[in-house]
Amino acid sequence: MNDIKRPFDLLNRAVGKRVVVGVKGGTSFEGKMMAFDVHMNIALAEAKEKGSEEVFNHLFIRGDSVVYVKPLE
Amino acid sequence: MNDIKRPFDLLNRAVGKRVVVGVKGGTSFEGKMMAFDVHMNIALAEAKEKGSEEVFNHLFIRGDSVVYVKPLE
Amino acid sequence: MNDIKRPFDLLNRAVGKRVVVGVKGGTSFEGKMMAFDVHMNIALAEAKEKGSEEVFNHLFIRGDSVVYVKPLE
Amino acid sequence: MNDIKRPFDLLNRAVGKRVVVGVKGGTSFEGKMMAFDVHMNIALAEAKEKGSEEVFNHLFIRGDSVVYVKPLE
Amino acid sequence: MNDIKRPFDLLNRAVGKRVVVGVKGGTSFEGKMMAFDVHMNIALAEAKEKGSEEVFNHLFIRGDSVVYVKPLE
Amino acid sequence: MNDIKRPFDLLNRAVGKRVVVGVKGGTSFEGKMMAFDVHMNIALAEAKEKGSEEVFNHLFIRGDSVVYVKPLE
Amino acid sequence: MNDIKRPFDLLNRAVGKRVVVGVKGGTSFEGKMMAFDVHMNIALAEAKEKGSEEVFNHLFIRGDSVVYVKPLE
């Protein structure tokens, strides 16, 4: 990954992989990143919220709420 | 759903289905998503707030308040 | 209401009816919706704040503060 | 007031009258509304903050902070 | 001051006089208003923060943080 | 400093001098102001956070976070 | 570093070095800054959150969340 030139390169490579998305207010969601757009809206699959074991097929996170994205793989 | 290319695809498919909409401040609303627009304004039917059993025919959620949308089906 | 195509359709139909408007910070106001504009500024009549019985003839709510609008009829 | 067509009509009629202006963070100010502009900046006269009896000749409230305006007359 | 037509008139007249500037988060600063601009950035002289007696020669307050301006004279 | 005509004049004169920069959330940083830009991004040298004695060679503060700038000299 | 003319110069020089990035809400992340963009989005490598020893290969931080960037070298 020494060839990361722009922060969005990191997001592009995370598509299809599991990530943790931290959002405003302190909570976070873990899931497989299916897609994101220029507004940082993110679609996750097989997602769960921090502290919960309940798994949801899909989750849409609004870009304006995103604090960080942490690829797990 | 392997063909989700953009996050909004996920919202488009959720129209007519039950979703949970998390908003700023920590609360959330569950209901049937009737419509949404590019500002992420959302209209729900048969909606209730987290922790309440009171059901409302309709609910308008302002896009700027939305943190996440979780399709339940 | 199966013909709601856009979230603002829901607001248009709520004019003249009683609504609850939730605002940032956790409080909400109930009143008759007299008018709203594209910024989501809202004018209520016969309005009271959650937890209070004091009724005010009119109330202006700034759009940027609005979290949700819940029609009661 | 059945002829309120736009929310700003309500503010226009409140000029020269006493209002309560609620601001972000939970406090509010009561005073006579001298003027407002399209950004919702508001100038009050004979104003006091909620919970205080100290009266100030004038007060400028920045529009971005305004949550609601409640005409008292 | 019956001739205040726009809220900014109130600020224009406060230049050179002592004011209290309330900012987001609940604190406020008192000082002599030296200048302000259209973004509501404010320069104070001989300023102190609420609850402190320490006086600073000058203070710059970013407009986006301003909640209110209260002229003291 | 009676010739301060615009708030930014105050910042221009603070370059090269020690300042305290208050940021959203309640903390502040003290250091020598090396540079700032129109977005109010600020570069400090020999900086430390309020309540800490640890000194950092440099610190970048994002303009959107700035509440106030207090020149110490 | 006496030749810092603009705050972004400080960020440009921090690429490839370890930094602490403070974000809204009070937490911070330490890691090697791989890249940043004009929106202040930041890509870190070998990153960990304050108070945790868990190291992540990569971390994307959204610019809108950034409060400060502190180069450690």
Side-chain angles (χ1 to χ4, degrees), chain E residues 23-24 29 32 34-37 39 41-44 49 54 56-62 64-65, chain F residues 1-2 4-8 10-11 20 24 39-40 63-73:
Chain E
V23 299
K24 289 180 187 169
F29 299 93
K32 189 169 88 169
M34 302 158 76
F36 70 94
D37 62 25
H39 303 292
N41 296 313
I42 293 175
L44 296 182
E49 189 167 355
E54 193 178 8
F56 288 91
N57 282 345
H58 299 100
L59 181 70
F60 174 98
I61 300 173
R62 198 166 73 97
D64 186 55
S65 301
Chain F
M1 276 248 201
N2 288 328
I4 293 286
K5 298 294 177 210
R6 296 164 305 178
F8 269 74
L10 205 159
L11 293 185
V20 175
K24 288 180 188 169
H39 304 292
M40 289 274 307
D64 185 56
S65 301
V66 174
V67 175
Y68 64 82
V69 180
K70 197 191 294 179
L72 295 178
E73 304 172 34

Side-chain angles (χ1 to χ4, degrees), chain B residues 4-51:
Chain B
I4 294 284
K5 298 295 176 209
R6 296 164 305 180
F8 270 74
D9 294 342
L10 205 160
L11 292 185
N12 278 314
R13 296 182 190 192
V15 174
K17 297 179 179 160
R18 290 193 76 74
V19 298
V20 175
V21 181
V23 300
K24 289 178 187 171
T27 194
S28 61
F29 299 93
E30 180 182 330
K32 190 168 88 169
M33 186 151 85
M34 301 159 76
F36 71 94
D37 62 26
V38 293
H39 304 292
M40 289 275 306
N41 296 314
I42 294 175
L44 297 182
E46 298 147 41
K48 57 185 180 185
E49 189 167 357
K50 189 177 67 176

